[in-house]
């Protein structure tokens, strides 16, 4: 069954530390996305990718980097984590042929706490 | 700036009632409006979607009413069930201008038995 998985599911990090969140999809979708979800803000797009080797900035990219080494994998990197990055992070994939009409398939989320 | 707005952060209805969740948007170029449903501890999942050429989309107990002139839409959940208790996100996108969708802040629905 096609799926989007994320690891780790929970992470506690220290301020100033490096954090890598990983996402894997078996949907064979070209497009992948990273969002963060915070109460009062909904889902906000951090970075997205159109395929292996490509990354694009979303609406709130500051403090985050992304890496897409393959069709299946998309990572979100916090080089210097700060408490303001405490949040729930979701990865999603979508079929590029659908353009803006494409359904997005979400992973189960990663809860990140930065102390 | 919030391009997609959901006026209610939370909504409580009794079982059997119709829940109405509202959404509005800023960008006139948006032409596709999906609603996603999210249960606690899970990622959002597509529930129902409408394109701007239509003013109504129905799927079982779920109906979207769309008003292009007023730039707003609503999700109606008829005969609400406790299992419908979830957070609902309104989203919007354009077919030809990028592939990502802009999400609202979400409305948490509670259906009381």
């Amino acid at each position: 069954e096609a799926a989007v998985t994320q690891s780790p599911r929970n992470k506690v990090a220290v301020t100033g530390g490096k954090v890598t969140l990983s996402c894997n999809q078996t949907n064979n979708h070209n497009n992948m996305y990273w969002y963060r979800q915070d109460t009062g803000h909904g889902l906000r797009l951090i970075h997205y990718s159109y395929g292996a080797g490509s990354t694009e900035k979303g609406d709130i990219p500051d403090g985050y980097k992304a890496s897409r080494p393959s069709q299946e994998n998309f990572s979100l990197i916090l080089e210097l984590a700060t408490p303001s990055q405490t949040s729930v992070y979701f990865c999603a994939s979508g079929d590029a042929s659908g353009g803006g009409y494409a359904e997005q398939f979400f992973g189960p989320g990663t809860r990140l706490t930065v102390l | 700036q919030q391009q997609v707005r959901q006026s209610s952060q939370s909504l409580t209805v009794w079982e059997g009632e119709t829940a109405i969740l509202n959404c509005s948007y800023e960008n006139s170029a948006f032409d596709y409006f999906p609603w996603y449903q999210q249960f606690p501890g899970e990622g959002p999942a597509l529930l129902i979607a409408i394109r701007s050429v239509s003013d109504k989309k129905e799927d079982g107990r779920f109906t979207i009413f769309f008003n292009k002139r007023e730039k707003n839409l609503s999700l109606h959940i008829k005969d609400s069930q406790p299992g419908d208790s979830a957070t609902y996100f309104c989203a919007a996108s354009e077919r030809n201008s990028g592939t990502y969708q802009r999400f609202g802040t979400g409305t948490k629905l509670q259906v009381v038995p």
Side-chain angles (χ1 to χ4, degrees):
Chain A
E1 181 179 328
V4 179
T5 56
Q6 295 181 231
S7 63
R9 293 295 314 277
N10 291 281
K11 172 76 176 178
V12 178
V14 296
T15 297
K18 181 177 181 179
V19 177
T20 300
L21 307 183
S22 300
C23 177
N24 177 275
Q25 56 107 353
T26 58
N27 298 324
N28 197 31
H29 288 157
N30 285 334
N31 297 343
M32 295 186 74
Y33 312 86
W34 275 107
Y35 295 90
R36 61 178 286 176
Q37 182 176 6
D38 304 283
T39 302
H41 291 280
L43 288 161
R44 292 181 290 174
L45 183 68
I46 306 170
H47 285 287
Y48 61 103
S49 168
Y50 291 126
S54 105
T55 61
E56 305 288 339
K57 293 181 179 180
D59 294 327
I60 53 165
D62 293 346
Y64 302 94
K65 291 184 180 178
S67 173
R68 182 87 182 271
S70 65
Q71 175 85 337
E72 298 79 19
N73 296 295
F74 191 36
S75 297
L76 185 68
I77 303 149
L78 291 66
E79 295 277 4
L80 293 169
T82 68
S84 65
Q85 294 175 312
T86 294
S87 186
V88 180
Y89 291 85
F90 287 97
C91 175
S93 73
D95 183 355
S97 66
Y101 292 175
E103 175 180 357
Q104 293 192 17
F105 295 83
F106 284 82
T110 294
R111 183 172 296 275
L112 173 65
T113 302
V114 182
L115 302 176
Chain B
Q1 69 284 16
Q2 197 72 35
Q3 294 196 38
V4 178
R5 291 199 178 91
Q6 293 181 250
S7 54
S8 299
Q9 194 167 356
S10 64
L11 175 68
T12 300
V13 300
W14 294 103
E15 182 176 357
E17 290 186 334
T18 296
I20 300 175
L21 291 72
N22 296 308
C23 177
S24 62
Y25 61 98
E26 301 280 332
N27 188 344
S28 299
F30 287 149
D31 57 3
Y32 176 68
F33 302 88
W35 284 84
Y36 286 81
Q37 180 188 54
Q38 182 184 33
F39 295 107
E42 299 181 8
L46 181 66
L47 178 66
I48 185 173
I50 192 168
R51 296 186 185 182
S52 60
V53 294
S54 302
D55 56 13
K56 180 181 175 181
K57 177 74 177 291
E58 193 169 354
D59 184 357
R61 298 186 294 109
F62 301 92
T63 302
I64 299 173
F65 293 93
F66 178 71
N67 187 323
K68 187 172 184 177
R69 187 166 58 91
E70 298 293 329
K71 290 195 280 188
N72 61 44
L73 60 156
S74 59
L75 173 67
H76 291 227
I77 305 174
K78 191 167 50 176
D79 186 24
S80 295
Q81 302 297 309
D84 296 329
S85 297
T87 298
Y88 292 82
F89 290 99
C90 174
S93 62
E94 306 169 49
R95 176 68 176 91
N96 297 318
S97 178
T99 63
Y100 60 87
Q101 295 162 358
R102 292 245 164 58
F103 287 80
T105 53
T107 297
K108 186 174 183 178
L109 173 67
Q110 183 178 12
V111 181
V112 181

